[in-house]
Amino acid sequence: MRIATYNVWNDERGGDVRQRQIVEEIVAVNADVIGLQEVHPALFRNRLAGLYPHAVFRVYEGEDEGLAILSRYPVLETTWLHELPEHGCSAALNVMIEQDGRRVSVTSLHLPWDSAMEKEKQIVAIDRFAHGQETDVCVLLGDFNGTTNSSVHRFLTGEQTLLGCEARPYWYELSGAYAAVRGQPLPPTLDFLTNPRWGGRNSTEIPFAADRIYVMLREGMDDLRQVALFGTSVSPESGYAASDHYGVAADVSFG
């Protein structure tokens, strides 16, 4: 099963060319399930909805963007956590899909960039929601707007508590695991040095892996075959990569 996440950058720069780039990157990565962030309604309606047999999109109230999940597998249930106070009104969209008789929960999220407290509140609510589901596998993916040294990451991986809560069972983060086993550095998805959106102008921001994929399993994972970035190519026509973030795709086999 190939799982992917991609923040597609809701911005008019690059125009129609960059929108075509986004579609090309999504088609090329060929994921079974992909979670998308910063999706403009027109982009979803005109270019993304028809790419997969199952497509779910929700827009934030009063905003011009939202979250989407595209799936090759049937979607059994959909929950828009953003409209539910009991789930912290979190910026998260969940679908329950069926894959080879297995119930797989997939949550696409976009945590806020400007408040550590709000990030912590939302991730605790999202984790609580996921642990309350009847499912074989939970996948949590998206733009976490923080590093693997953040309280959010440490909470998910069972290294600390937040707001009096702990993630039990805890989650496995796939990019870091894949890089560590192979003795490689964790590649940044928010690359202030080489992505043309940032143009190397920023000398204070450190590139980091903002976009990540976590799994939480009732049983085990047979194999983590590959984790790779996509969306890194720069178009000579637009002068941009498809987004100001790079996407992440993971090939996994669940037990």
Side-chain angles (χ1 to χ4, degrees):
M1 184 178 184
R2 176 168 290 181
I3 307 164
T5 183
Y6 198 21
N7 181 327
V8 298
W9 187 25
N10 180 23
D11 193 280
E12 294 182 355
R13 277 172 281 189
D16 187 69
V17 174
R18 195 172 66 78
Q19 290 198 10
R20 293 201 309 269
Q21 289 176 256
I22 292 169
V23 173
E24 289 166 2
E25 292 291 351
I26 291 172
V27 170
V29 77
N30 195 31
D32 294 302
V33 182
I34 182 167
L36 306 171
Q37 303 83 45
E38 293 196 30
V39 181
H40 190 281
L43 176 66
F44 179 80
R45 181 176 60 250
N46 298 332
R47 297 183 183 267
L48 303 181
L51 295 180
Y52 277 68
H54 308 280
V56 178
F57 173 63
R58 296 292 186 274
V59 65
Y60 305 120
E61 184 177 358
E63 298 189 32
D64 68 346
E65 66 178 56
L67 301 173
I69 298 176
L70 311 181
S71 173
R72 300 196 194 285
Y73 304 112
V75 173
L76 306 177
E77 305 166 18
T78 300
T79 306
W80 180 220
L81 278 69
H82 189 63
E83 66 182 6
L84 300 172
E86 63 268 32
H87 299 309
C89 295
S90 305
L93 173 65
N94 173 266
V95 298
M96 186 72 72
I97 62 174
E98 182 177 9
Q99 183 242 356
D100 298 334
R102 181 188 291 113
R103 286 170 60 89
V104 180
S105 167
V106 180
T107 302
S108 175
L109 61 75
H110 191 184
L111 296 183
W113 64 271
D114 56 350
S115 171
M117 291 180 64
E118 185 63 22
K119 275 188 279 201
E120 291 180 352
K121 184 186 81 170
Q122 291 194 24
I123 202 63
V124 167
I126 294 166
D127 173 76
R128 187 182 300 117
F129 167 79
H131 278 87
Q133 292 182 297
E134 294 184 8
T135 181
D136 301 299
V137 180
C138 286
V139 178
L140 184 60
L141 50 78
D143 180 358
F144 289 80
N145 265 314
T147 71
T148 53
N149 191 42
S150 67
S151 59
V152 166
H153 176 76
R154 294 197 304 270
F155 169 75
L156 289 173
T157 54
E159 298 177 74
Q160 77 165 72
T161 61
L162 280 180
L163 307 179
C165 300
E166 62 179 334
R168 294 185 63 188
Y170 56 80
W171 302 75
Y172 297 92
E173 194 277 310
L174 302 187
S175 294
Y178 187 80
V181 167
R182 284 153 184 79
Q184 301 169 348
L186 181 61
T189 64
L190 191 54
D191 192 342
F192 300 107
L193 299 180
T194 62
N195 190 301
R197 156 69 169 89
W198 311 105
R201 300 187 309 272
N202 197 318
S203 60
T204 57
E205 297 283 357
I206 300 171
F208 65 98
D211 306 83
R212 303 192 291 273
I213 301 172
Y214 296 78
V215 296
M216 189 262 290
L217 306 141
R218 305 300 184 190
E219 295 183 7
M221 187 163 59
D222 286 345
D223 191 17
L224 175 57
R225 300 178 185 177
Q226 177 177 264
V227 181
L229 300 187
F230 64 94
T232 60
S233 299
V234 176
S235 165
E237 190 176 357
S238 71
Y240 289 103
S243 174
D244 60 347
H245 286 240
Y246 302 141
V248 181
D251 293 336
V252 296
S253 178
F254 299 121

